[in-house]
Every structure is written in C-alpha cells, then in structure tokens.
Amino acid sequence: MKPIFGGVIAFLIAVAIVAGPASANEEYVASADYKGNAAYLAVNPDGSFSGPDDLQLISESGLSGSGKSYGNGIGDFDGDGDLDYIMAVGSSGGHVYIFPKTEPGNNFDLPIRVASFSEGAVPADMTVADFNDDDNADLAVSYENFLDIYTGNGDGTFELAYSYDLPMMNKNSPLDNGDFNHDGNQDLIVGNYGNDPASLAVLYGNGKGDFTYSDNDIYTRSGLMERKAILGISTRSFSLNNLHGDFHAHICARSLT
C-alpha cells in the first residue's frame, strides 16, 4: 500500500503506511532513503507520530547504506497477523527483502531475501496489494523498462507470476495501485523518469495477477496537462487519493524540471 501520510524527511524516497487490524490495531509508518536506511515512526492514538527511529536490525542486516533504495511497503506477508516491512535495494543488482515483524512496536526479525533481479538492474519502486484475489499480499516492482508481479503465498514467500516489458518507459518510477475502472480488481499506474515528454501508463488488472494495457492507456505530458495534472520533463513521484470524495482515484503527480 502506498502513502496516505505526507511528511518531510531528509532524502526521503519512499514512505509506506498501513492502518489495519493486525498487531492489535497497530499503525506505523516506515520510510527509506536512497541509501537503504530505513526508519520507523509509531502512529499514536491521537494521530501524532513518535520517532523516527532506525528500523530495528536495519544496521545489523548490512542493507543500510549498501546501495540504492527506491521502494518499500508494509503488509502481512507471512500470514501471522503482523504488519511486516518490505524494501527493495540494489546497486549493481537489485534484491527485495522482508523484515518480518515479531511483536508490536519497532520489533522486526532479520530480513529475508524474497526476490532478485538481473545484474545491473536496480529496482525503482514497488507497491503492495492483493492482485490475484487470494487474500495474500502480492508485490509489483518496477525496474529499468520492466514491471514484475510477484504473487504472495501467505507464508513469506513469493512467486514471479508475470513480467512486462514497457518500451514506452525509460525508467519505471514511480509505481502505485488502485481500482481505476471500478471492476473490483487492483490496477497499476507507472510513470517514467528521464523521458521527454513525461508520461503515465495505466495497466488494468484482471483479478488473477495479470495486467493489460494499450496505447490508449498511455498519457503524455500534453494529455495530462489537459487533465489538470502539472508535469515537467520527468515524472518522479505521485500518489493516489480520493480528492473529490467521489470514490474515484485521483493522481497527484510531482516532477523534476
């Protein structure tokens, strides 16, 4: 799940928050900077935050400062009712790690590698949702020109289900999910980073973990300007929110100019 929290942290690249019934209704925010350093912020009952503190075991894991990090997320990946932390890191190659949560608070186990990419491929972003309607948390990861879908088994392991080559993108960053066509299935939206003109592509999910798109689902900067989304040369980040209270997902885009 992607941000419903908006904050300012130096060199902040990714923020993830989940508010749910797991861990005795625990809510927390996890953030990661571009060097792989991760922080934990507790959400207090009054809506304020405590922290940030270094995510437990992030230093001991050897991942902190080990490479680039552009994606993270929170979800119950191992089916024990706790909200685990997941992050993608890489420099010459990319990997995805889960930090299993052991108890409420800043308490995590050492990370488990659950996915790897080819040498030279660095993950750009990720998003967590149930893409195949089996009640397990799945994972979508963007890197280079590719978008990979990993379906979760509910025990902390994943299977690479689909991989898409998106030639219209130079680097797929950012990535998010939402039900854009109101069919009950989670869809994906990806943006480019480094291309002119800027563009966004929508991939529609079928509820089985597979996604489809066409040229009509790719929106360039001029088209987006007509939709009142202000973009510059490269789409660097965005978030999805119900801005109008109409139960539709709206895109808030940020760009580098």
Side-chain angles (χ1 to χ4, degrees), residues 86-112:
I86 190 168
M87 66 184 297
V89 297
S91 53
S92 60
H95 309 285
V96 178
Y97 296 88
I98 289 177
F99 286 74
K101 209 164 195 309
T102 57
E103 57 184 273
N106 188 8
N107 297 293
F108 297 84
D109 208 344
L110 283 170
I112 302 170

Side-chain angles (χ1 to χ4, degrees), residues 189-218:
I189 184 169
V190 292
N192 73 46
Y193 175 48
N195 285 357
D196 185 11
S199 64
L200 302 175
V202 179
L203 292 81
Y204 293 98
N206 61 4
K208 300 178 181 179
D210 194 8
F211 295 83
T212 59
Y213 74 95
S214 68
D215 290 342
N216 293 329
D217 302 320
I218 302 172

Side-chain angles (χ1 to χ4, degrees), residues 94-97 112-117 139 141 150 158:
H95 309 285
V96 178
Y97 296 88
I112 302 170
R113 184 188 297 181
V114 295
S116 297
F117 308 103
L139 181 66
V141 182
Y150 293 85
F158 293 82

Side-chain angles (χ1 to χ4, degrees), residues 122-143:
V122 177
D125 201 1
M126 69 165 61
T127 188
V128 175
D130 182 9
F131 297 124
N132 58 353
D133 295 333
D134 63 354
D135 295 325
N136 295 325
D138 306 316
L139 181 66
V141 182
S142 60
Y143 63 98

Side-chain angles (χ1 to χ4, degrees), residues 16-151:
I17 180 171
V18 170
S23 296
N25 294 314
E26 179 188 10
E27 299 176 7
Y28 71 91
V29 173
S31 66
D33 68 12
Y34 75 103
K35 290 185 177 180
N37 303 303
Y40 172 94
L41 294 89
V43 181
N44 301 317
D46 62 359
S48 62
F49 297 88
S50 298
D53 299 308
D54 288 344
L55 191 83
Q56 187 189 41
L57 300 180
I58 186 67
S59 297
E60 292 87 338
S61 70
L63 298 179
S64 179
S66 63
K68 298 179 179 179
S69 174
Y70 293 114
N72 66 354
I74 295 173
D76 182 12
F77 303 109
D78 51 15
D80 64 354
D82 291 327
L83 297 173
D84 311 306
Y85 176 67
I86 190 168
M87 66 184 297
V89 297
S91 53
S92 60
H95 309 285
V96 178
Y97 296 88
I98 289 177
F99 286 74
K101 209 164 195 309
T102 57
E103 57 184 273
N106 188 8
N107 297 293
F108 297 84
D109 208 344
L110 283 170
I112 302 170
R113 184 188 297 181
V114 295
S116 297
F117 308 103
S118 60
E119 183 176 355
V122 177
D125 201 1
M126 69 165 61
T127 188
V128 175
D130 182 9
F131 297 124
N132 58 353
D133 295 333
D134 63 354
D135 295 325
N136 295 325
D138 306 316
L139 181 66
V141 182
S142 60
Y143 63 98
E144 304 301 329
N145 294 334
F146 297 95
L147 175 65
D148 286 354
I149 308 298
Y150 293 85
T151 53

